[in-house]
Structure formats: C-alpha cells, structure tokens
Amino acid sequence: MTITEFHDALKNKKTSVRETVSVYLDKIKTENKKLNAYLEVFEKEAVAQAEEIDIRIQSGETPSGLMGVPIAVKDNILIRGHIVSAASKILGNYVASYDAFVIERLKKAGAIFLGRTNMDEFAMGSSTENSAYGPTKNPHDSGRVPGGSSGGSAAAVGGGIAMASLGSDTGGSIRQPAAFCGVVGLKPTYGAVSRSGLMAMASSLDQIGPITQTVADAEAIFNVIRGKDEMDATSVELGGPTAKRRTDRQVQKIGVPREYFTDGLDQRIKKAIDGTIEKLGKNYEIVELSLPHTKYALACYYIIVPAEVSSNMARYDGIRYGVRKEGINLLEVYKKSRGEGIGLEVRRRILLGTYVLSHGYYDAYYTKAQKVRVQIKKDFKEAFKEVDVILAPTTPTLPFKIGEKAKDPLSMYLSDIYTIPVNLAGIPAISLPIGWAEEEDSVKLPIGMQIIAPHFEENKLFELGKIIESWKQ
Ligand code: GLN
C-alpha cells in the first residue's frame, strides 16, 4: 500500500496500524535475509508505537500527516537511543544521543520507524557494496546491485518491506538507487531540509530526502521534513512557490539537455525517455537545450567531495566516537582505530581530499573546482530562464551485477554522471520509474528518469511527476 492508500484504509477501518505494521515485520523476516536491506529492525518499538497510534485513532483522531506510516531510515540519520553506524565498522557500537531534525518532525507526524537500512560506508559509493555489513541485493534481481549509497532504503521500498524510507543524496544517492529499484526518489533543494543529525559526508552537497512508491507519497514526506532548523544554518523556511501553492499549471516548457543523451547512455533507457518526451509533447512545449559544462561535473565533484570528506572524517579518530583500538601512544590509537575501522573507499577519499587541499595543490585543484562549480550552476540558471523543468536520465545504465564495478572506482563513479550536476548546483530533482527493460536472462529491470527544477520549486517536480505516473494506470 502507498501512504495515500493506507490512510484511506485506516479511515475506512479496513486495517489498523498494528495490523499493517505486523504485515511489514513478518515480511521483513523472510525477505530481509535475501535482500540485506535492513541492518537492524526495531520490532518491539514499532509494535508499541503502532498500538499507541491505534488508540489515538480509536478515540476519534483522524489519520493525518504520516500517522502510522511505517518508514525505514538510512543508517546515517540519527534516531535517539539507536545504533547509527553509517555502515562502518568504526561506528559499529555508536548510539545516537539525539534525534535528527527530520526524525523529530517524523515522530511528531506519527510515523513509525521499522529499522535502519544498509548503505555504502559513510554514503560513499553507488552500489551498497561498500557497506561493512555486506551488500544489499536488488529486489528485482538478487544478482544485481540496488544502487547506492541509499541502497538499503531503496531496496526496502522496492521490495515491499517498507512503505517509504529516508535516504541522503550527495551526488545521486537517493535518485540512483530509486531508479535501480523501480521507486520514486526526491533530492530536495540544498537547504530545504535540515542536515542536523545527518552524518556529514560532503556538507556543501548533502541533503536528506524521501524514497517512496509514488510521487504523492514523496511530497507528503517532504512537506513534513522541510523547513528552517536553528541547528542547521544552511536550512531555510521555504517562502517561495512551494509554500504558496498555486492551483494553475506551473510547468509549460520542458527542457531536454543534449549533453545527457550521449554515447554512454543505454539505448533502452534512451528509448523509454524518448517515449515519455513524445507523449509530453502533446501538452507541453519541448525545448532542446545545452548545459555546456556538464562534461566537467564528475571531475569537479571528485575534487570537492574528497576535500570535504577528508575534513569531515577527521572526527572518527577512535577517541570521540565509536570503536577504539588501544595503542602505546595517541598516534598509534588513531592509526589502529582508523586503520581497522575505516573501509577502502572512505580511505581513498581521505587520501585524495588531503592531497587536493595540500598547500602546493590547493589552487590547482580545489579553487579550480569551485570555479567550475559556479559555471555548472550558471548553466542551469540560464536554462531555467527558458524552461520550467528539465528532463534527463537518472542513470547511464540499468542495475549492474554485484561485483561488476567494485574493483574499478572510475567506472563506479561514472554511474552518477547524470545525478551529480544537480547536487553541485544545489537544485532539486526527482527520479521516477518510467518503464522496464528486459535482460538476456529475461529478468525485467526498472528504468528511471529524473525531472530537475530551479531552487525551491519542488512543486514543479510533483506536478509533472504525478502526470507521468498517472499514465501507468
Ligand atoms: N555515488 C556518489 C559518491 O560515491 C554519490 C554518493 C552520495 O550521494 N552519497 O560520491
């Protein structure tokens, strides 16, 4: 059931929160062994929360907001009293001492937390293979990856073992796994959702967002978690068009950027998007456009991200958080704790980041990358003078096989080529499923497409997303 369907069923007394939550918990027991989507299930707590909400409903309260909605949470978002490990060994025993802002909001709205989901360690990766706790499997083919880094959250929704989930997106980690698992994923505008209580990966890019079965469900969660938080100076109250919901149609002109339809794109994905564009052409003006700096986005991202990562990871030293290995002096404690606790991809980024920030190379790499970032942002700004939203593929390929890219970091990095520019520009985008492709072995794999909008205009994503989604019925 979607959130909308669930609330209708609750209102008509066709189900109770307790019954629905139990269905999920039972299914998790059988399915999670195959998927490895959850690292931990909060069974007792979820049942207790469900019973409490049923009592509220019985005493006359109408189900609203996210009352009773069973949600899975990525393991880098803090829930007070629960382990939160970012799928890293170094935080294997770390218990959150406060609730993330989004968790506070969800609790107030009556959501129920089913458990914490698997991910690439500290959100670095595109396949969930970088987890210290084993890879998550794609719900549509267990030999393939679910994408990453929010692979557990996407696989849980795609595999029917969570009604919805939370992920985080620094370079595509909500949208890419959503596309690979056949579900909807929203990366909000940078600043729309507070990052307080989200473990920092690259602070100038990170955003929390929902992964859901439908666009309407993503909108419902977004409306609960967005807004200004005193604990995150970059968060803002949306005063713009999203808050003042207009009733008239806001999307008239749709842009299609040339640079997103080049050689590396799987032809089956291209065909599905072409079909979508053709259909939209009947009611919208379609404009081909150029985002000329797209080709520099990946290189720019892999300088800025490691730089911020190397700084953010410094706090995991074996002293302040998590697992500590003893040594004869402080340096040895650091070395042993980090050496045993931190995985290879995270280490690679700490090394790269330390290098690009070093005295002799700072201007050549970091300063240059920041300038390129401004150009990428300008590309979108120019494009949005002409069009209301932009359509693009979410990923260049279909879900790949487990192990296929694990030993080749560059090919892994390339799987985010279409999602990264959006993060660099700070704008919002939604990925939604638009079809299926058949593989040689006759498995059917989902195809995702993203809609991109100007800063704080998520409403345009919801408007167009719902229209495309309605074609399925
Ligand atoms: N796969 C990208 C990376 O490894 C994006 C990760 C993310 O969005 N958290 O950096």
Side-chain angles (χ1 to χ4, degrees):
M1 272 191 287
T2 66
I3 297 176
T4 321
E5 288 164 354
F6 172 55
H7 270 183
D8 284 344
L10 275 183
K11 281 175 202 151
N12 300 327
K13 308 257 181 280
K14 291 222 172 76
T15 186
S16 67
V17 179
R18 172 69 216 255
E19 183 188 30
T20 305
V21 166
S22 298
V23 169
Y24 278 104
L25 290 171
D26 288 346
K27 200 167 170 200
I28 290 171
K29 278 193 191 120
T30 56
E31 292 300 303
N32 198 48
K33 283 194 200 90
K34 288 180 248 164
L35 292 179
N36 196 29
Y38 285 93
L39 292 175
E40 190 190 346
V41 181
F42 309 147
E43 183 165 356
K44 268 200 202 132
E45 222 178 301
V47 168
Q49 277 178 300
E51 284 170 352
E52 213 181 285
I53 290 173
D54 275 334
I55 293 171
R56 277 166 58 186
I57 294 173
Q58 274 155 22
S59 50
E61 208 173 316
T62 0
S64 63
L66 297 173
M67 256 172 88
V69 176
I71 286 177
V73 179
K74 188 176 181 179
D75 195 30
N76 60 351
I77 299 171
L78 276 60
I79 306 177
R80 191 191 162 111
H82 282 289
I83 289 180
V84 56
S85 76
S88 178
K89 271 199 237 160
I90 203 156
L91 292 179
N93 61 2
Y94 176 67
V95 176
S97 57
Y98 65 99
D99 278 329
F101 177 81
V102 295
I103 297 297
E104 264 175 37
R105 282 288 186 87
L106 288 172
K107 280 184 176 170
K108 269 194 208 128
I112 290 170
F113 304 115
L114 288 174
R116 55 188 178 95
T117 56
N118 203 7
M119 55 186 281
D120 287 295
E121 185 178 5
F122 286 110
M124 297 172 211
S126 313
S127 67
T128 320
E129 291 165 294
N130 295 338
S131 166
Y133 306 101
T136 297
K137 313 282 170 60
N138 190 301
H140 304 289
D141 177 3
S142 58
R144 289 170 199 270
V145 303
S149 63
S150 315
S153 284
V157 178
I161 51 174
M163 195 174 282
S165 63
L166 288 185
S168 68
D169 193 314
T170 303
S173 279
I174 287 174
R175 289 161 290 154
Q176 185 255 22
F180 277 9
C181 294
V183 293
V184 174
L186 170 73
K187 198 289 283 184
T189 307
Y190 183 79
V193 178
S194 165
R195 289 174 293 113
S196 170
L198 167 70
M199 283 185 204
M201 174 185 161
S203 313
S204 76
L205 299 150
D206 302 338
Q207 268 295 284
I208 296 173
I211 298 177
T212 54
Q213 302 167 70
T214 63
V215 175
D217 283 3
E219 186 179 14
I221 295 182
F222 175 65
N223 280 330
V224 168
I225 61 174
R226 71 188 169 89
K228 173 80 187 158
D229 170 21
E230 290 304 320
M231 299 299 285
D232 176 0
T234 64
S235 69
V236 292
E237 194 61 59
L238 299 176
T242 316
K244 278 192 255 116
R245 301 211 54 154
R246 293 188 226 143
T247 43
D248 54 326
R249 197 172 109 176
Q250 297 204 34
V251 181
Q252 315 275 355
K253 269 189 174 182
I254 299 173
V256 181
R258 232 168 275 140
E259 290 80 3
Y260 284 66
F261 295 85
T262 46
D263 284 349
L265 177 62
D266 188 297
Q267 284 308 305
R268 294 164 292 184
I269 300 177
K270 183 172 182 304
K271 215 175 131 204
I273 295 178
D274 284 347
T276 309
I277 292 172
E278 205 185 304
K279 259 183 145 170
L280 286 171
K282 291 182 194 131
N283 290 307
Y284 297 88
E285 189 181 337
I286 310 284
V287 183
E288 194 187 302
L289 52 82
S290 172
L291 299 166
H293 295 89
T294 304
K295 57 178 179 290
Y296 305 114
L298 194 73
C300 170
Y301 176 89
Y302 276 101
I303 288 171
I304 292 173
V305 165
E308 295 188 23
V309 161
S310 72
S311 161
N312 276 329
M313 291 299 129
R315 74 192 66 167
Y316 307 111
D317 53 6
I319 307 286
R320 279 169 284 194
Y321 303 95
V323 176
R324 177 191 305 188
K325 298 284 166 201
E326 296 305 331
I328 48 161
N329 56 32
L330 187 61
L331 192 62
E332 210 183 285
V333 172
Y334 287 160
K335 282 185 175 172
K336 277 194 178 166
S337 305
R338 283 167 78 85
E340 287 180 36
I342 294 179
L344 288 181
E345 179 60 29
V346 179
R347 250 184 258 185
R348 177 168 18 243
R349 296 196 192 197
I350 294 171
L351 287 171
L352 279 170
T354 308
Y355 177 75
V356 301
L357 290 178
S358 60
H359 181 69
Y361 296 102
Y362 187 92
D363 281 338
Y365 292 110
Y366 188 71
T367 311
K368 189 72 159 280
Q370 293 290 16
K371 288 181 183 158
V372 174
R373 184 176 184 175
V374 173
Q375 295 308 316
I376 289 167
K377 209 170 162 179
K378 268 197 195 147
D379 279 0
F380 282 107
K381 210 172 164 191
E382 285 304 310
F384 286 129
K385 281 184 188 156
E386 215 194 320
V387 298
D388 300 307
V389 294
I390 290 172
L391 288 193
T394 309
T395 60
T397 67
L398 296 168
F400 44 90
K401 298 230 164 85
I402 292 176
E404 194 180 318
K405 298 185 187 212
K407 294 216 161 54
D408 181 357
L410 189 57
S411 82
M412 189 70 88
Y413 295 171
L414 279 165
S415 58
D416 297 305
I417 193 138
Y418 297 137
T419 46
I420 277 171
V422 162
N423 299 75
L424 289 171
I427 52 183
I430 196 166
S431 176
L432 63 159
I434 55 158
W436 296 87
E438 201 161 316
E439 277 291 308
E440 314 91 58
D441 41 4
S442 86
V443 281
K444 280 198 173 155
L445 298 171
I447 296 175
M449 181 190 79
Q450 59 176 336
I451 313 171
I452 306 166
H455 288 95
F456 299 109
E457 298 196 19
E458 279 83 357
N459 55 329
K460 289 185 177 160
L461 305 178
F462 302 138
E463 179 186 305
L464 190 64
K466 283 177 195 167
I467 287 171
I468 296 170
E469 196 175 62
S470 72
W471 297 341
K472 274 195 291 190
Q473 273 102 47

